[in-house]
Amino acid sequence: MSTTNNDTVRNDEQIKNKSGDVNKFYDWLKIYLEKDKFNLFKARSKLEINRKIEVTNTRIQKLIDLKIKVKAEIDRLISTAKLLKSKNFELKEELSKKLDINNEN
Amino acid sequence: MKIELTNTIDRNIISEDISFKLMLADGILSLFTPLFYEEIRKKQGQFKRNVLDIKQLKQNILDAKLKIKKLNFLISKEKIKDEVLNEIDYLVGVDVIYGSNRQLIRNILITLDKQTSNDLKKNLEVLRGIIKNKIKNK
């Protein structure tokens, strides 16, 4: 009877140990999968490439904004240049007429 | 940890052993990792396209800046022309222009669009000198 009891205790102990091993393995696997410790799921690579894409997207947006500003500035300068040219052309024509320059040699 | 039976795994090989768990995990990993690689490959493609876009945008902005520089130069030249014409307009308005002054103004008006900024500035100074003399002599 005593031997049987001892066997049962040993079996329980073995099951407990085995169960403990399985739980340890489960915990390890959980960390392994969640943190992708060995980069098997490329989680770190994915994070890194996502960060790179985010940085480049921000840079692209800034450059697009700058391009829009520069384009607006070009349009403004073209308009100013046209206005000045037209004004100068008219004044030059008027002065040439006043001084009768076109009819001189 | 609960083990679920599937058709692909033989009922007889399922056990609570660590080696079996490792084998199972390895099988799962080898099945799914290509999907993660594929996603990474797609993201790398997007990143490469972003880098090219940045390069193109930088070139566009550089070209636009050069255009702005040229336009600013053109405007500054037109402004000097404007000043020259205003001085001539003043001279024509206050007195009859004749002799060397008339010849000078004539030359300035004829060559106005071909003159460099420096020439225009020089002519502007000459015209201002003539105006000063006229004011002194009055």
Side-chain angles (χ1 to χ4, degrees):
Chain A
M1 188 70 180
S2 170
T3 316
T4 317
N5 276 343
N6 282 341
D7 284 349
T8 313
V9 169
R10 207 176 298 132
N11 274 343
D12 285 349
E13 193 69 26
Q14 276 175 346
I15 289 166
K16 203 178 165 188
N17 286 342
K18 208 173 178 184
S19 173
D21 286 346
V22 170
N23 284 336
K24 255 189 229 168
F25 172 76
Y26 174 74
D27 290 341
W28 175 81
L29 188 65
K30 203 177 160 197
I31 293 167
Y32 179 84
L33 295 177
E34 278 177 1
K35 295 191 176 172
D36 195 14
K37 201 174 168 186
F38 302 106
N39 204 25
L40 282 166
F41 295 109
K42 295 281 162 194
R44 274 181 286 153
S45 305
K46 201 175 151 188
L47 275 176
E48 197 180 332
I49 196 84
N50 277 341
R51 190 190 58 80
K52 278 183 181 175
I53 288 172
E54 204 178 308
V55 168
T56 48
N57 277 342
T58 313
R59 182 95 181 106
I60 286 173
Q61 194 50 55
K62 278 184 183 170
L63 287 170
I64 288 171
D65 291 345
L66 185 62
K67 195 181 165 186
I68 292 167
K69 275 185 194 170
V70 166
K71 172 106 179 42
E73 179 66 4
I74 286 174
D75 289 346
R76 190 186 68 79
L77 290 175
I78 287 174
S79 160
T80 309
K82 270 186 187 173
L83 210 73
L84 268 170
K85 267 198 163 190
S86 147
K87 190 187 160 202
N88 286 343
F89 177 78
E90 280 173 22
L91 191 54
K92 187 186 145 189
E93 288 297 302
E94 191 188 318
L95 288 167
S96 296
K97 268 185 196 169
K98 266 189 195 172
L99 292 165
D100 205 19
I101 280 170
N102 293 334
N103 294 329
E104 286 181 17
N105 286 329
Chain B
M1 187 176 180
K2 192 185 168 191
I3 298 167
E4 286 185 10
L5 290 176
T6 67
N7 293 331
T8 54
I9 295 170
D10 189 333
R11 175 186 292 271
N12 297 321
I13 66 165
I14 291 172
S15 72
E16 289 285 328
D17 288 346
I18 297 286
S19 57
F20 172 73
K21 306 280 183 189
L22 281 169
M23 193 185 78
L24 190 65
D26 191 50
I28 293 166
L29 288 176
S30 60
L31 194 69
F32 287 104
T33 42
L35 295 173
F36 293 98
Y37 281 110
E38 187 55 33
E39 199 184 338
I40 293 286
R41 257 198 295 276
K42 275 183 190 170
K43 298 235 175 212
Q44 275 167 346
Q46 193 188 338
F47 174 66
K48 275 183 189 169
R49 282 195 298 280
N50 278 4
V51 170
L52 285 176
D53 284 352
I54 287 174
K55 205 176 167 187
Q56 184 63 49
L57 279 164
K58 274 185 176 175
Q59 189 56 49
N60 289 347
I61 288 165
L62 204 71
D63 292 345
K65 279 184 178 172
L66 279 174
K67 204 171 178 183
I68 286 178
K69 208 175 168 184
K70 279 183 187 171
L71 280 165
N72 275 327
F73 179 74
L74 182 79
I75 287 170
S76 70
K77 203 173 162 185
E78 286 299 322
K79 279 183 179 168
I80 305 169
K81 269 191 208 176
D82 187 48
E83 284 183 65
V84 168
L85 288 167
N86 281 328
E87 299 295 11
I88 294 172
D89 191 34
Y90 175 78
L91 272 172
V92 172
V94 293
D95 205 356
V96 179
I97 308 295
Y98 59 92
S100 60
N101 285 352
R102 186 181 176 84
Q103 190 57 38
L104 175 79
I105 288 171
R106 182 179 176 273
N107 287 342
I108 291 173
L109 285 175
I110 288 171
T111 58
L112 192 71
D113 295 327
K114 293 171 191 166
Q115 287 179 41
T116 62
S117 291
N118 281 340
D119 289 343
L120 285 167
K121 279 178 191 168
K122 279 179 198 164
N123 284 326
L124 184 63
E125 286 310 308
V126 173
L127 287 167
R128 281 179 178 160
I130 295 169
I131 291 170
K132 263 187 191 172
N133 279 337
K134 282 210 177 285
I135 290 168
K136 261 187 196 175
N137 294 337
K138 270 191 177 179

